[in-house]
Amino acid sequence: MAEETTGVRITQQAIYAKQLEHGEILVRLLEKLDHLDDVPARIREVEITLARLAWIEKIAYTGLTAGIVGLLSAIFSIVLK
């Protein structure tokens, strides 16, 4: 005697549609994962670029400090005259 099911009917067409959906999801996932293999190289390039630009910040702060010291020296020399 066949067992009765309660309102759920799964057809081969539904199974095939679900397989197609999973296949599409898998393809999209693999496309995203394909671009992750070069992430370490890209991060290294960014770190090198930031290291090259670090000297600009040092020079800017050095110039700012020199300008403030010069301004204070000028004000101090004017006040003492």
Side-chain angles (χ1 to χ4, degrees), residues 18-30:
K18 197 53 114 169
Q19 284 178 336
L20 287 177
E21 180 184 336
H22 287 158
E24 291 172 3
I25 291 171
L26 184 60
V27 167
R28 281 187 271 149
L29 182 64
L30 290 174

Side-chain angles (χ1 to χ4, degrees), residues 27-77:
V27 167
R28 281 187 271 149
L29 182 64
L30 290 174
E31 286 175 354
K32 289 181 181 181
L33 290 176
D34 268 347
H35 300 294
L36 291 180
D37 57 353
D38 63 340
V39 167
R42 289 187 294 178
I43 290 174
R44 187 170 41 254
E45 288 176 17
V46 169
E47 289 174 344
I48 290 171
T49 303
L50 290 176
R52 287 180 183 159
L53 295 177
W55 67 274
I56 296 173
E57 185 177 348
K58 291 177 185 175
I59 290 176
Y61 281 125
T62 303
L64 180 63
T65 304
I68 291 173
V69 168
L71 179 65
L72 291 176
S73 297
I75 292 173
F76 189 69
S77 67

